[in-house]
């Protein structure tokens, strides 16, 4: 059985775990530092408004990825000015779970990701974002890592392309 929790990527100068707990996150793991104050933290579960609470209290943008058994990833991103977007990772596998793909259209997700990255002061790669949102991988977490790199998050590296393949 795979991961059914999630990961939060946020910029914070400290006290992120305390803010995450106050926002309704549970099962919080250690932070992995990226660069320029960005951190990735795995968690077991999050509340419906956890991302909004966290962004409001940190005053910084964040990306939340929720995983369904490591097969599918649901992406939510938000900035303090309200720029937000949603996406789906591993669409082909999501379809086998009867997840309605029309609820997660690719082009609005790409446009939202580009706007979110710009609002977060990052330099995104539009082609890599689109590829990640349409690609397939054995584990959704592989696509998650590729998406963070495509969004321009400092300290992330694009995973090997051999593991992340375009969807057919």
């Amino acid at each position: 059985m795979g991961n059914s929790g999630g990961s939060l990527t946020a910029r914070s100068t400290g006290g992120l775990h305390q803010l995450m707990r106050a926002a309704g996150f549970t099962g919080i793991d250690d932070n992995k530092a990226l660069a320029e104050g960005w951190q990735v933290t795995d968690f077991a579960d999050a509340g419906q408004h956890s991302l909004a609470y966290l962004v409001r209290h940190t005053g910084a943008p964040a990306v939340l990825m929720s995983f369904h058994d490591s097969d599918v990833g649901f992406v939510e991103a938000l900035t303090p000015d309200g720029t937000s977007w949603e996406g789906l990772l591993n669409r082909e596998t999501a379809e086998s779970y009867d997840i309605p793909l029309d609820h997660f259209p690719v082009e609005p997700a790409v446009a939202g990701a580009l706007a979110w990255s710009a609002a977060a002061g990052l330099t995104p790669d539009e082609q890599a974002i689109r590829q990640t949102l349409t690609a397939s991988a054995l584990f959704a977490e592989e696509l998650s890592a590729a998406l963070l790199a495509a969004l321009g998050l400092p300290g992330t590296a694009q995973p090997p392309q051999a593991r992340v393949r375009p969807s057919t």
Side-chain angles (χ1 to χ4, degrees):
M1 185 166 179
N3 180 13
S4 288
S7 70
L8 174 76
T9 304
R11 184 182 272 164
S12 177
T13 56
L16 186 59
H17 281 191
Q18 182 178 359
L19 281 173
M20 287 178 72
R21 281 189 289 282
F25 289 88
T26 62
I28 301 165
D29 286 339
D30 290 335
N31 294 343
K32 176 188 172 203
L34 297 177
E36 299 176 22
W38 288 94
Q39 307 171 46
V40 178
T41 306
D42 293 333
F43 60 88
D45 198 15
Q48 184 177 0
H49 302 288
S50 295
L51 180 63
Y53 179 96
L54 189 86
V55 168
R56 187 171 53 253
H57 284 83
T58 62
V63 178
L64 178 96
M65 308 229 192
S66 300
F67 301 107
H68 178 71
D69 203 20
S70 286
D71 292 332
V72 178
F74 299 93
V75 183
E76 295 178 70
L78 182 64
T79 64
D81 70 2
T83 302
S84 66
W85 68 279
E86 294 180 341
L88 182 66
L89 300 175
N90 238 3
R91 296 177 73 79
E92 206 171 278
T93 304
E95 195 168 28
S96 72
Y97 279 99
D98 294 325
I99 294 170
L101 300 184
D102 60 332
H103 290 162
F104 300 95
V106 173
E107 290 310 313
V110 171
L114 292 170
W116 180 90
S117 289
L122 304 172
T123 305
D125 179 334
E126 181 176 354
Q127 181 179 355
I129 291 170
R130 184 174 287 104
Q131 179 180 350
T132 302
L133 292 174
T134 58
S136 294
L138 183 57
F139 299 108
E141 291 85 352
E142 295 172 37
L143 294 170
S144 170
L147 182 59
L148 293 178
L151 290 170
L153 283 151
T156 59
Q158 182 75 24
Q161 289 301 317
R163 294 192 341 234
V164 177
R165 60 196 184 286
S167 198
T168 55

